[in-house]
Amino acid sequence: MRQSTSHRLRGAIFLFIAAALCAVAARDFLAARCDEPLFPARGATVKRLSDYFAPLRGTRADGEVFIFEGREPGGTMLVLGGTHPNEVAGFLAACILVENAVVSRGRLIVVPRANHSAFTHTEPGEALPSHFEIETPGGKREFRVGCRFTSPLDQWPDPEVYLHYPSGQRLSGNETRNMNRAYPGRADGDFTERAAFAVTSLVQREKVDLVIDLHESSPEYPVINAIVAHERAMDLAALAALSLQGEGLALSLESSPANFHGLTHRELGDATTALAVLLESANIMQGRLRGRTTAEKILSGKDGGYLKAARANLLRVPYDSSGISIETRVGRHLAGVRALTEALTTLFPDRSVCLEGIPALAEVQAKGVGAYLAAKTRSSE
Ligand SMILES: [Zn+2]
């Protein structure tokens, strides 16, 4: 009798420990499904992608859409962040636009979490941190790292071969969850194709003149610190690249390959009247040469493996022991957005957009990304 009581007690203790572990895991799992709040600058109208494609409502594809409208009529530009949420500079640059933009002419539309589902998990097998923190004047703000792909909880299983619609291009099966291989998307497609379809519908319905998709890539990848432009956007991108080079910011100009399908700069350029470009900054987290990835490393861009690779002349961008910081990467994206906005105004005065309040690269480098993110308390003002 005494032995059975002790068994029961031991069982109860194990059950209690298991329940406690489940509670902790469930808390983290559910937290990854709650968006960190953004604090839009004055005058923003907040919509969602489901306002452009209703079936997204209530799904994890339904990202926020922030619209800033100037008093004077002009053009409309769309900035996409978080097409690949693990490319954190693209997401953070979009956040800075949302939280600082002042538009006096034309319209700026920002979708900071373009692939919203991909923010809810990290890449399996990469041992990535789930979060990183940015110090702001009002305290730390925490952001998720995210993944290149739509969560398998939203779209599974992957096929052996991914057939892009409508081109029929064949890619590896896991690319079926890559939003930047899913454009223009389709209303009756899989989860990622429907999310891409919502963005394409937004571009069409809002009569977007210029789409800028913000990305990052590894320092050994050929297309890096670059503007990739659809052929109709090539003059605009060349003017922006020249202007940035005049300021000492090297940016290569790449043309969107006509036969590489599913990407924003190809498909939005083909399927809509918008001029479509993509900006790439250099992030060691994207590459295979890095050592253990920590939240600090995601922000500092410092890594011993990449330092060795730079000394062996294997990288496509300058790299030294100071790394490539989040300030430099976000600042480059913001400089690219500004230069492209100015080029739009120069080449198409009737479609001009006047965008202010966005810090220059040197300002972001000097003060940090957090200086341009709202304090967590703004919502209570
Ligand atoms: Zn990317």
Side-chain angles (χ1 to χ4, degrees):
M1 183 71 183
R2 190 175 292 164
Q3 199 176 14
S4 119
T5 307
S6 102
H7 276 157
R8 265 193 231 122
L9 185 62
R10 207 181 304 162
I13 290 169
F14 279 131
L15 267 179
F16 177 78
I17 292 170
L21 289 173
C22 283
V24 171
R27 189 195 59 189
D28 288 352
F29 182 82
L30 292 172
R33 275 141 191 80
C34 299
D35 292 340
E36 299 98 359
L38 298 180
F39 306 104
R42 199 179 297 268
T45 302
V46 185
K47 292 190 173 184
R48 289 200 166 262
L49 287 174
S50 58
D51 289 312
Y52 300 92
F53 182 50
L56 256 55
R57 188 154 293 128
T59 74
R60 276 191 290 273
D62 199 8
E64 295 152 300
V65 177
F66 298 90
I67 303 177
F68 298 86
E69 181 145 13
R71 283 212 189 120
E72 292 177 46
T76 298
M77 48 190 281
L78 167 67
V79 177
L80 299 172
T83 294
H84 294 148
N86 55 332
E87 299 165 14
V88 295
F91 168 64
L92 286 174
C95 292
I96 287 183
L97 287 171
V98 167
E99 300 195 358
N100 296 270
V102 178
V103 177
S104 55
R105 184 188 310 136
R107 294 191 305 160
L108 168 69
I109 304 176
V110 187
V111 181
R113 299 180 180 103
N115 188 348
H116 187 270
S117 162
F119 277 87
T120 62
H121 70 135
T122 54
E123 186 130 9
E126 292 285 321
L128 297 169
S130 58
H131 292 81
F132 60 91
E133 288 178 336
I134 301 276
E135 191 74 59
T136 78
K140 285 184 174 141
R141 276 175 66 179
E142 193 177 66
F143 296 97
R144 272 169 291 168
V145 172
C147 182
R148 182 175 177 82
F149 301 106
T150 298
S151 169
L153 291 178
D154 292 316
Q155 185 178 323
W156 187 86
D158 294 339
E160 287 283 311
V161 175
Y162 165 48
L163 284 180
H164 170 258
Y165 173 85
S167 72
Q169 168 185 269
R170 296 159 78 87
L171 291 172
S172 161
N174 67 338
E175 296 285 11
T176 195
R177 288 183 289 116
N178 180 351
M179 192 177 188
N180 212 25
R181 300 293 180 276
Y183 286 97
R186 52 180 158 176
D188 59 351
D190 61 33
F191 185 93
T192 308
E193 286 175 316
R194 293 199 300 273
F197 182 79
V199 174
T200 305
S201 301
L202 183 162
V203 171
Q204 288 168 330
R205 194 173 327 157
E206 299 290 359
K207 298 184 171 55
V208 171
D209 296 297
L210 168 61
V211 179
I212 307 172
D213 191 10
L214 301 178
H215 286 252
E216 294 203 278
S217 191
S218 61
E220 68 271 32
Y221 185 65
V223 181
I224 194 70
N225 282 354
I227 305 184
V228 187
H230 186 270
E231 53 272 18
R232 286 192 296 103
M234 195 48 89
D235 286 353
L236 175 108
L239 187 56
L242 270 175
S243 141
L244 290 169
Q245 279 163 16
E247 297 168 21
L249 203 158
L251 205 66
S252 66
L253 183 60
E254 310 281 344
S255 78
S256 168
N259 294 322
F260 192 13
H261 290 283
L263 297 95
T264 47
H265 49 78
R266 168 52 42 209
E267 304 299 342
L268 292 177
D270 284 354
T272 76
T273 56
L275 304 171
V277 301
L278 181 149
L279 293 176
E280 292 274 15
S281 60
N283 181 358
I284 57 162
M285 193 181 142
Q286 310 301 117
R288 307 315 309 170
L289 308 177
R290 71 177 197 275
R292 182 167 169 251
T293 308
T294 60
E296 191 277 330
K297 198 178 278 190
I298 289 170
L299 299 179
S300 72
K302 292 180 187 173
D303 180 83
Y306 273 95
L307 199 52
K308 275 188 199 165
R311 286 175 184 149
N313 226 3
L314 295 174
L315 303 185
R316 307 287 183 140
V317 290
Y319 190 91
D320 60 26
S321 57
S322 56
I324 305 175
S325 69
I326 193 69
E327 288 78 20
T328 296
R329 287 145 51 202
V330 168
R332 286 185 73 97
H333 276 331
L334 294 174
V337 169
R338 178 183 49 76
L340 286 161
T341 309
E342 289 169 1
L344 181 74
T345 298
T346 303
L347 294 177
F348 307 97
D350 58 322
R351 293 193 247 161
S352 64
V353 175
C354 186
L355 169 63
E356 287 159 27
I358 307 306
L361 169 59
E363 290 177 300
V364 184
Q365 286 174 320
K367 296 182 183 171
V369 169
Y372 301 97
L373 291 174
K376 276 192 281 190
T377 51
R378 190 192 272 186
S379 58
S380 58
E381 281 172 7

